[in-house]
Amino acid sequence: MRYFVPRLSTEFDSHGSLRYNVRESGRSLFRRPQGGPPMKRMLTAVLALLLALSLCACGAQDTDDTPTYPAAFSGLETLIDTAREEGRLTVCGTGDEAYMTALCEKFEELFDIKTTYRAITAAQAGSARGDVWFGGSADICRTLAADGKLLTYTPVHAADLTNAAYGDADGYWYGVSVDAVVFAVNSDVLRRMTISAPKDWADLTDPVYQELVWLPTYRSTEIGRLTAYSAALRLGRDKGLDYLAALDTSVQFYTAADDTFVKCLSTGECVIAVGWLHDGLSALSADTSGDLHLIIPASGTFGQVTASAILSGASHTAAAQLWQEFVLSPACADLAEAHGDYRLPTIGSADLVQRTGVTLDPSLLSPTGDADTIEDKETLVSDLIETLTDAGIDTEDTARWNVA
């Protein structure tokens, strides 16, 4: 075997720099790599680069950058494009702040429009500076429209309203959800007692319902006050008080809160409750037995339609119109339930409506009567407590009153 001893030598190159050479028996160990002439290798590299650029160009041509939206907004592309060009929307909101914030974030996410939320009270709506007002009552919207404070727009999604009366005939406002005083019943318990469910206020005084009804106390709950007020409005003040005295026989508990019945209805502890529709829907959504039902009193009840409207001072009208489409879509209605808001959506495509089958005729939200003949609710309640006491009813009995 032949061995070569490497030798190290130094020399200066043409630039004057010191260079080291390792040689093996006088031969350099660093040789030019084989692979063809330099020009040929250069042409090969250029062709490879051109091919890569060509493939990238073809890939770019196949990419579709067109924004996509939920199916509910199909056909609204022109409005969406105009709203995106405006780029901004200011929402004046009345109601739960977390829910309002979630709505604005969802709208911004869907349409890439900068959306600002500004909390206001109902009393501030007439002077609010923004594009839309969401969360106010339809009654206040009617007043604002008459005063020239709202703009008209008829959303395509208005066709999905469960009742045309949930929208203004001229397009000034549209109802998004509705709440009302209703009866919630456990049908399984009533069936085993061979008793049918009450259909109206008068039915509640029937002896068959003795000590089966849970009613929020008159003194400190909104439902209690509305129950007293509606009785006086339907029947007249004196007859209304007499009705409520007769109703006491059917009342098992006067509860401390409007929603006390929610957890007790499915267990059968509560058989019949007078309460808010949204609390009843909350109980219904958690129920798997199918035994819970909600009943709208046939002669009418108190309630409120929550609406959305475009303010007359709107700076971004296309974005405001798109907002009106959005609030009448499942994207908005289903978001409410996700945030614990069980007010009944006014559109039939909402998941809560589809799942429970509950609808409400808005004509039932206006009981007839002469409100001018009735004092304020506080005075009426005070007179009612006196009437009950005179009838021998102990309104201080903690076993029945203010039950938590």
Side-chain angles (χ1 to χ4, degrees):
M1 182 179 292
R2 184 178 178 184
Y3 294 91
F4 296 94
V5 180
R7 293 185 303 165
L8 178 66
S9 63
T10 59
E11 58 185 13
F12 290 92
D13 61 17
S14 59
H15 299 288
S17 301
L18 184 64
R19 185 175 67 185
Y20 293 91
N21 260 335
V22 180
R23 293 182 178 276
E24 186 180 42
S25 299
R27 296 179 180 179
S28 173
L29 293 179
F30 301 101
R31 299 181 178 180
R32 181 188 301 276
Q34 302 301 311
M39 182 60 71
K40 182 176 180 181
R41 291 199 304 275
M42 185 180 295
L43 288 173
T44 301
V46 170
L47 289 173
L49 178 61
L50 290 174
L51 179 61
L53 291 174
S54 175
L55 290 173
C56 288
C58 290
Q61 291 174 357
D62 291 339
T63 301
D64 185 3
D65 293 329
T66 303
T68 58
Y69 309 103
F73 301 99
S74 177
L76 297 172
E77 289 79 8
T78 300
L79 176 61
I80 293 173
D81 290 343
T82 305
R84 283 166 59 91
E85 288 175 5
E86 291 179 346
R88 300 186 68 86
L89 179 73
T90 299
V91 178
C92 297
T94 302
D96 181 72
E97 187 170 346
Y99 171 46
M100 286 300 313
T101 300
L103 279 182
C104 293
E105 289 175 349
K106 185 64 176 180
F107 184 80
E108 184 168 321
E109 173 193 330
L110 285 176
F111 304 111
D112 194 26
I113 296 171
K114 178 63 177 177
T115 307
T116 303
Y117 165 58
R118 182 179 298 160
I120 66 169
T121 64
Q124 296 171 319
S127 58
R129 300 180 63 182
D131 298 307
V132 295
W133 181 35
F134 181 93
S137 73
D139 289 337
I140 297 178
C141 284
R142 290 187 185 94
T143 300
L144 293 179
D147 293 341
K149 301 293 181 65
L150 302 180
L151 298 180
T152 62
Y153 173 71
T154 302
V156 173
H157 289 144
D160 195 27
L161 291 171
T162 55
N163 193 300
Y166 283 128
D168 179 65
D170 296 318
Y172 281 108
W173 57 267
Y174 284 88
V176 176
S177 61
V178 59
D179 208 357
V181 181
V182 301
F183 305 153
V185 303
N186 186 315
S187 298
D188 177 57
V189 176
L190 289 176
R191 185 166 50 251
R192 287 189 276 115
M193 296 178 69
T194 65
I195 300 174
S196 59
K199 295 180 174 59
D200 207 351
W201 294 104
D203 297 340
L204 292 180
T205 59
D206 191 312
V208 298
Y209 300 119
Q210 182 174 354
E211 296 186 357
L212 291 182
V213 177
W214 288 23
L215 176 67
T217 182
Y218 301 116
R219 288 189 179 101
S220 59
T221 67
E222 186 64 14
I223 288 289
R225 292 190 183 95
L226 286 175
T227 300
Y229 187 79
S230 64
L233 193 60
R234 288 194 320 274
L235 306 172
R237 183 186 180 283
D238 293 340
K239 288 185 177 180
L241 294 178
D242 291 341
Y243 163 81
L244 295 169
L247 177 63
D248 178 77
T249 304
S250 298
V251 177
Q252 180 183 16
F253 296 122
Y254 291 95
T255 60
D258 289 333
D259 62 352
T260 304
F261 75 90
V262 172
K263 293 181 179 179
C264 301
L265 195 65
S266 61
T267 63
E269 296 173 78
C270 173
V271 181
I272 302 170
V274 178
W276 284 116
L277 175 60
H278 74 262
D279 287 327
L281 286 169
S282 175
L284 217 63
S285 296
D287 175 57
T288 57
S289 67
D291 294 326
L292 307 188
H293 293 89
L294 303 179
I295 300 166
I296 315 297
S299 62
T301 187
F302 271 90
Q304 177 175 289
V305 177
T306 299
S308 182
I310 302 175
L311 297 170
S312 59
S315 301
H316 311 96
T317 53
Q321 291 172 359
L322 184 57
W323 173 268
Q324 292 293 85
E325 298 287 357
F326 168 69
V327 299
L328 293 182
S329 73
C332 175
D334 296 344
L335 193 62
E337 183 182 353
H339 281 76
D341 187 339
Y342 284 92
R343 285 175 294 181
L344 185 66
T346 57
I347 58 169
S349 55
D351 183 62
L352 186 61
V353 176
Q354 293 284 316
R355 196 171 65 250
T356 64
V358 176
T359 59
L360 172 59
D361 185 342
S363 66
L364 294 176
L365 297 178
S366 302
T368 58
D370 187 0
D372 294 334
T373 64
I374 305 171
E375 316 94 320
D376 63 87
K377 294 184 183 68
E378 293 298 332
T379 302
L380 182 65
V381 167
S382 178
D383 289 346
L384 170 59
I385 297 301
E386 184 178 341
T387 299
L388 295 176
T389 302
D390 291 343
I393 298 166
D394 185 2
T395 60
E396 301 299 329
D397 180 5
T398 55
R400 289 188 69 218
W401 290 79
N402 297 308
V403 176

